[in-house]
Amino acid sequence: KDAKMAPIITLIAAVLSCSAAHAFTPTGAPNARVLRSGTLARSLCSARSSALVQMSDKAEVTQAVPFEVRGFSYATLVIGAAMTINIYSFSQFFLNDGEASSSLGFVYGFPGLLLGAALKYAEVAPVPTTSAPGSEEARERLASENVKKIYSDITRFRYADAHLEDALKWLGLQPRGYGPPELLELVESVLPDGSYAMELVFASKQTPYNSWTSNAHRYANFFGPDMRAVVSKKSSELRQVSLTLVSVPAGGPLTPMEQQPDGSMLPISLDGTVEGRMEAAV
C-alpha cells in the first residue's frame, strides 16, 4: 500500500511546495508598473509585496507571472495537505506495526504543518469590498492599469506585508517609527457623469490628516494615468481618511481635490493647503 501511496504523497508534497512558492511570489500583469520602497532584495516573508511596490522617477519595472490563483487561503491549503499526509502516516504506522515504509509521510507532513502555520501567522485577509452595479465594467474600461492592480492586490490573501504597505511608504504616508495606515474598506461606484470611482478607506491613527493633503499631488502620478485623487476625512473620531481615485478623460484635469462635509470639492494646492475649507474638514 505504501508503494502505491508514494506517488500520491509525492504529489501532495509538490502541491505544498508550489503553493508556498506562489504564496510568496508577487503577482503582476504585463506592462504593470511595480513599485518597491527600499531595497529590491528582501527576505522571503517580504517577497510577496504589494502589486505596486517599485516606482522611481526615472525607471519603470515591468513584471509578469503566468497565472494567479485567487479566492482561497494558501495557509489553509498547506495545512490541509499536511494534515492529510500526517493522518495517513500515523494510520499506516500503527496498522502495520511501525513499518518504516510509512515514514514517507512524516518527511513531508511535519514540515508542511510548520510551513502552513508560518503562512497562517503572516496571512492578511482580503479587504472588504463593496461594488455598485456597473462598477466592474467601468473599472475595466476606465481605470488605469495601476488602479486595476490595486484592486487585484487588496482583494486577495497576502502574506507578510499589509495591503499597499510599500505604496503608502513611497507616498510619504507612513510616519517614521510607525506602521502605515491600515486599509479598512474598498468601495467602487460609478459617478453620475459615468466616471469610475474607487474609494479606499484607511485607519490613519498615526498619520496626520495634513500628510494626506500635503502629498496629494503625488497621487495622480502614482495611480495614473488619467486618475484624479479626492481626499476627505471619513471620521474625525475614528481617525479615518478616505482616498477616492476617479477616472478622468485623457488629458483631463488631475488637480487633487478635498471633499467638504457638504459634498462640495475644493482644489488642494501644491503645499497641501485648501483655501475656503470648511471648519469640519480640518
Side-chain angles (χ1 to χ4, degrees), residues 30-41:
N31 301 322
R33 275 181 286 184
V34 182
L35 245 67
R36 184 181 304 278
S37 173
T39 59
L40 186 60

Side-chain angles (χ1 to χ4, degrees), residues 142 225-227 247-254:
L142 299 173
D226 302 325
M227 300 298 298
S247 65
V248 298
L254 297 176

Side-chain angles (χ1 to χ4, degrees), residues 73-87:
S73 165
Y74 287 107
T76 302
L77 173 66
V78 172
I79 291 174
M83 286 296 297
T84 301
I85 294 176
N86 280 327
I87 291 172

